Amino acid sequence: FKANAGQKFVGRFIKKMGNTGFAVTDPDGEGLPEEEHDFNTALTGSLQKTGDYKITVSTFEIKDSKYSLSVRITAK
């Protein structure tokens, strides 16, 4: 997703089956300052750079995971 410096990211799984998590990286490939780890089920973070951000969803299971991820980008 494209965002501007100073905006906020709010993301959370609204439905999931399996051991699934997500991470958000900025245009330079760095995690958001509020991320404690790479396997979030909910995250509110500060977008400090303008550019393209990436959401990576991952699982530790061999079987398929099903999920719905809600994402909101808001002004400060």
Side-chain angles (χ1 to χ4, degrees):
F1 63 91
K2 185 173 278 304
N4 295 316
Q7 290 183 296
K8 287 247 181 230
F9 169 90
V10 179
R12 66 181 176 91
F13 283 113
I14 52 176
K15 181 190 293 186
K16 73 176 187 132
M17 293 176 60
N19 191 11
T20 306
F22 69 92
V24 179
T25 51
D26 69 17
D28 295 328
E30 300 292 324
L32 301 186
E34 294 84 358
E35 272 191 299
E36 293 182 18
H37 44 76
D38 295 351
F39 205 75
N40 303 287
T41 56
L43 176 66
T44 299
S46 306
L47 305 177
Q48 298 183 340
K49 301 173 186 171
T50 296
D52 293 327
Y53 285 75
K54 180 178 173 182
I55 299 172
T56 304
V57 178
S58 57
T59 184
F60 291 113
E61 297 182 9
I62 296 171
K63 63 184 180 180
D64 291 341
S65 294
K66 295 181 182 186
Y67 62 89
S68 293
L69 179 64
S70 170
V71 173
R72 234 176 356 151
I73 307 302
T74 62
K76 299 178 185 182

